[in-house]
Amino acid sequence: MLSFSRARSQGRNTRPLTGGMDYLEPKRKTNVVGRVILVVSLTALCIIMLKHAPSFTSPTAFSRSEEGVTHVLVTGGAGYIGSHAALRLLKDSYRVTIVDNLSRGNLGAVKVLQGLFPEPGRLQFIYADLGDAKAVEKIFSENAFDAVMHFAAVAYVGESTLDPLKYYHNITSNTLVVLEAVARHKVKKLIYSSTCATYGEPDKMPIVEVTPQVPINPYGKAKKMAEDMILDFSKNSDMAVMILRYFNVIGSDPEGRLGEAPKPELREHGRISGACFDAARGVIPGLQVKGTDYKTGDGTCVRDYIDVTDLVDAHVKALEKAKPKNVGIYNVGTGKGRSVKEFVEACKKATGVDIKVDFLPRRPGDYAEVYSDPAKILRDLNWSARFTNLQESLEVAWKWQKTHPHGYASS
């Protein structure tokens, strides 16, 4: 019986050796070695992957503070105003990180900037949505920001009346996400891009910074809510805050590198300058002027048109002058109102095209007359608008439009 049991236990995998010891057959030994090699290979692969993960990479210029270098996060930096601001910052030797989800911005604008400033440590682009709190936290934890210029926002009055919840989410909620990250990571300066739409339709002109804020459309209301959050937070913070309320933006980079290129599906909500240029190029049959019965000189809306080059100059001045534990609130405009009819005539002269104009009823959410008193920003920041000739600003913008008929896709 013992002999039979012994034979069964040996089976096909073992065979007797001198001294009664057993050893594995070559096939079983090969299997074990293969498994060991597999485990070692997988372990090595994991180590390699971990080393290439962000937390294991060597510090980059963007992830560390550097004496004499100011690192600015530009949210919405692929957009019309944000890209011009990034260009100016880069020209002034700032280190720039652009964060944009490209829902309104253009990757082409980022590529132009990358081509102009290819040196390591000057510019990086991060594709992200500011509504994603985890993504925003990751961005702040992996970068050493000295300041934030917060431009990112949907910004069409007409659209805001049709889809108000989009505006409260995109402007107010997303600003809260950014503000929380700024607070956690102790960023020193915040420059907030606000709007004259927070004033609504004041009884007196021109608008000063203490004019009551009574917005009449969701865009203005969402921006005011964002302002209120920032102001409340600043009361118990050492952060330097600047809030810039600017008026109607026109123009483009004088050297023709950047311009305004709204998404085709948003043209009907866009700025009047974009509509004028589309009409001049034949993209649309003519220009629609909505509202001719306002209590203004010629019955059309009156606005304060600020050149984008002047606007970004104001942002840089605000960044330079921002002081810890202080809040600066400034109107950014020319101090002169122009009617829509005046604007259209200037656009006709700038383009050389006799644009067809259709006069239609008012657009919901619009107000009759808005223009600024820029005395405070002149006094405090030594800033004033330089490009105040409406036709000349439109001529510069038109030059870019003609060479970029399909926006940045033309490059």
Side-chain angles (χ1 to χ4, degrees), residues 212-379:
Q213 290 176 285
V214 188
I216 64 172
N217 53 60
Y219 171 57
K221 291 175 183 178
K223 281 286 189 178
K224 184 181 182 301
M225 288 180 186
E227 281 192 21
D228 289 342
M229 289 191 305
I230 294 168
L231 292 173
D232 286 341
F233 167 72
S234 68
K235 292 173 183 176
N236 299 303
S237 169
D238 293 336
M239 186 173 62
V241 175
M242 290 288 199
I243 295 174
L244 302 184
R245 297 171 184 157
Y246 49 87
F247 291 66
N248 295 64
V249 189
I250 59 171
S252 63
D253 171 42
E255 295 183 41
R257 295 164 293 189
L258 298 171
E260 183 178 11
K263 305 288 185 181
E265 64 271 18
L266 296 170
R267 278 196 167 103
E268 64 176 298
H269 300 298
R271 294 178 177 85
I272 185 174
S273 55
C276 277
F277 295 144
D278 282 346
R281 290 191 289 117
V283 176
I284 57 177
L287 183 65
Q288 295 181 340
V289 174
K290 298 180 180 180
T292 59
D293 58 347
Y294 291 97
K295 293 180 180 179
T296 60
D298 60 20
T300 61
C301 294
V302 171
R303 298 289 182 265
D304 189 341
Y305 296 99
I306 175 79
D307 193 287
V308 68
T309 301
D310 282 330
L311 178 60
V312 299
D313 183 53
H315 279 77
V316 174
K317 288 277 178 65
L319 178 61
E320 294 170 349
K321 301 280 188 178
K323 297 178 181 179
K325 298 184 179 181
N326 279 304
V327 178
I329 299 176
Y330 298 100
N331 291 333
V332 186
T334 65
K336 183 177 182 180
R338 306 287 185 87
S339 74
V340 171
K341 282 186 178 179
E342 287 181 274
F343 187 97
V344 171
E345 289 306 310
C347 192
K348 287 180 178 180
K349 292 176 181 177
T351 61
V353 178
D354 186 16
I355 300 168
K356 179 181 179 242
V357 182
D358 293 322
F359 295 98
L360 303 175
R362 295 185 184 189
R363 181 178 65 174
D366 269 341
Y367 25 81
E369 187 175 34
V370 175
Y371 61 94
S372 70
D373 178 352
K376 184 183 177 186
I377 193 170
L378 174 61
R379 182 179 66 248

Side-chain angles (χ1 to χ4, degrees), residues 67-335:
E67 188 175 352
V69 178
T70 301
H71 184 184
V72 183
L73 166 62
V74 181
T75 70
Y80 169 44
I81 300 169
S83 61
H84 282 78
L87 174 60
R88 171 61 189 275
L89 289 168
L90 289 162
K91 286 172 65 178
D92 287 0
S93 299
Y94 287 88
R95 178 172 290 151
V96 174
T97 292
I98 291 174
V99 172
D100 202 302
N101 68 358
L102 302 178
S103 62
R104 299 288 165 102
N106 290 277
L107 186 59
V110 176
K111 290 181 177 180
V112 168
L113 295 172
Q114 289 172 332
L116 292 170
F117 302 94
E119 304 84 2
R122 295 302 315 282
L123 169 66
Q124 69 170 339
F125 169 69
I126 300 173
Y127 174 80
D129 192 317
L130 296 181
D132 184 343
K134 289 183 179 179
V136 172
E137 173 58 26
K138 184 173 187 290
I139 290 167
F140 274 80
S141 64
E142 294 178 359
N143 291 277
F145 298 125
D146 298 298
V148 174
M149 280 191 182
H150 184 30
F151 291 99
V154 286
Y156 296 134
V157 168
E159 184 189 39
S160 78
T161 64
L162 299 173
D163 193 355
L165 296 184
K166 173 190 286 188
Y167 276 67
Y168 292 120
H169 177 81
N170 181 273
I171 295 172
T172 312
S173 178
N174 287 6
T175 297
L176 177 59
V177 173
V178 172
L179 191 58
E180 288 174 333
V182 164
R184 280 193 301 270
H185 294 273
K186 301 186 185 323
V187 178
K188 297 174 184 177
K189 297 181 180 182
L190 173 64
I191 315 300
Y192 183 59
S193 170
S194 192
T195 171
C196 65
T198 63
Y199 293 113
E201 196 165 12
D203 295 330
K204 296 180 180 179
M205 288 290 143
I207 293 174
V208 294
E209 286 77 3
V210 294
T211 295
Q213 290 176 285
V214 188
I216 64 172
N217 53 60
Y219 171 57
K221 291 175 183 178
K223 281 286 189 178
K224 184 181 182 301
M225 288 180 186
E227 281 192 21
D228 289 342
M229 289 191 305
I230 294 168
L231 292 173
D232 286 341
F233 167 72
S234 68
K235 292 173 183 176
N236 299 303
S237 169
D238 293 336
M239 186 173 62
V241 175
M242 290 288 199
I243 295 174
L244 302 184
R245 297 171 184 157
Y246 49 87
F247 291 66
N248 295 64
V249 189
I250 59 171
S252 63
D253 171 42
E255 295 183 41
R257 295 164 293 189
L258 298 171
E260 183 178 11
K263 305 288 185 181
E265 64 271 18
L266 296 170
R267 278 196 167 103
E268 64 176 298
H269 300 298
R271 294 178 177 85
I272 185 174
S273 55
C276 277
F277 295 144
D278 282 346
R281 290 191 289 117
V283 176
I284 57 177
L287 183 65
Q288 295 181 340
V289 174
K290 298 180 180 180
T292 59
D293 58 347
Y294 291 97
K295 293 180 180 179
T296 60
D298 60 20
T300 61
C301 294
V302 171
R303 298 289 182 265
D304 189 341
Y305 296 99
I306 175 79
D307 193 287
V308 68
T309 301
D310 282 330
L311 178 60
V312 299
D313 183 53
H315 279 77
V316 174
K317 288 277 178 65
L319 178 61
E320 294 170 349
K321 301 280 188 178
K323 297 178 181 179
K325 298 184 179 181
N326 279 304
V327 178
I329 299 176
Y330 298 100
N331 291 333
V332 186
T334 65

Side-chain angles (χ1 to χ4, degrees), residues 1-12 14:
M1 291 294 294
L2 287 173
S3 177
F4 178 75
S5 299
R6 175 78 173 180
R8 287 185 62 185
S9 67
Q10 288 172 355
R12 289 180 296 173
T14 60

